[in-house]
Amino acid sequence: LVLDVGCGNGRNTIYMCETYKMRGQGFDISEVAVNQAKKTALEKKLGIEFKVQSAKDALPAKDESVDVVLDMMTSHFLNQEERAKYLAEVVRVMKPFGWLFFKSFIIDDDKHAERLLKENPGEEEGTYIHPKIGVAEHVWTEEELRTYLEPHFKIHKFMLSHKHIKDGKPWKRRTVSIYAEKKRV
């Protein structure tokens, strides 16, 4: 079972289910995105469950029932308290030795993030208010991410994006991708 938190149009869930013959569940706060995901899954005859839900809510899965959790640019929209509750939910639903595939923004060497934090500070450290969409976004440090995940996960890969600089100038936001295996408790 793959659980896609913030699934958007479902492309990652659909890929995992098609490629690896997995069952899937995905949710997103956007009804438009969820409807697109449902339509695509139906066209491909995949029995994937998609629903509208916030990442702030309890995850829609039983204890230790999920093999893979995808968090692709989702949990950085949560505040510190919500991120702590969210991680507890991820740990609750994952099977021992299940996998977390995680992607988010990281501040290390990101001039855009530094500018956003300075010009549009949020209420919490490491958070800014996005100037175009008006929502708070958290930008992690490597140390913060390791402290957040390592009590529950063995990190196998921690990859920083390298294409955020073009012609020596900031071009895109810097991201981190993490492949982590849930530890047995």
Side-chain angles (χ1 to χ4, degrees), residues 3 25 27 49 51 53 57-62 89 92-93:
L3 177 63
Q25 294 178 325
F27 66 89
E49 296 177 41
K51 71 182 218 173
Q53 178 180 318
D57 300 330
L59 296 181
K62 295 178 183 174
E89 277 293 290
R92 176 188 67 79
V93 302

Side-chain angles (χ1 to χ4, degrees), residues 71 73-80 82-84 86-87 102-110 113 117 125-128 137-149 158 160 173-176 178:
D71 178 346
M73 306 299 287
T74 299
S75 58
H76 65 264
F77 288 112
L78 303 175
N79 66 35
Q80 186 174 10
E82 292 164 345
R83 287 190 306 273
Y86 167 77
L87 181 61
F102 178 93
K103 183 176 181 179
S104 193
F105 294 125
I106 194 160
I107 189 139
D108 304 332
D109 299 321
D110 186 335
L117 287 168
E125 185 177 341
T127 301
Y128 57 84
E137 288 185 342
H138 183 71
V139 60
W140 302 88
T141 66
E142 180 174 345
E143 179 183 347
E144 179 186 20
L145 268 172
R146 289 187 183 279
T147 300
Y148 180 69
L149 294 174
F158 193 102
L160 299 172
R173 296 294 316 282
R174 189 150 206 210
T175 60
V176 59
I178 299 172

Side-chain angles (χ1 to χ4, degrees), residues 2 12-22 68 70 101:
V2 58
N12 293 320
T13 320
I14 289 167
Y15 173 82
M16 295 287 288
C17 291
E18 280 184 317
T19 305
Y20 301 106
K21 308 300 181 219
M22 298 179 80
V68 176
L70 303 175
F101 298 141

Side-chain angles (χ1 to χ4, degrees), residues 172-184:
K172 290 183 179 181
R173 296 294 316 282
R174 189 150 206 210
T175 60
V176 59
S177 297
I178 299 172
Y179 299 168
E181 180 182 14
K182 182 180 174 188
K183 294 177 181 176
R184 183 182 278 296

Side-chain angles (χ1 to χ4, degrees), residues 26-94:
F27 66 89
D28 197 280
I29 199 165
S30 168
E31 186 173 354
V32 171
V34 167
N35 286 338
Q36 179 61 50
K38 286 178 179 179
K39 180 182 175 202
T40 303
L42 185 63
E43 289 169 357
K44 293 177 173 276
K45 298 181 179 162
L46 297 170
I48 303 171
E49 296 177 41
F50 289 106
K51 71 182 218 173
V52 176
Q53 178 180 318
S54 172
K56 295 176 187 179
D57 300 330
L59 296 181
K62 295 178 183 174
D63 293 359
E64 295 188 348
S65 64
V66 177
D67 299 285
V68 176
V69 172
L70 303 175
D71 178 346
M72 309 305 286
M73 306 299 287
T74 299
S75 58
H76 65 264
F77 288 112
L78 303 175
N79 66 35
Q80 186 174 10
E81 181 181 326
E82 292 164 345
R83 287 190 306 273
K85 288 179 183 177
Y86 167 77
L87 181 61
E89 277 293 290
V90 168
V91 170
R92 176 188 67 79
V93 302
M94 288 183 75

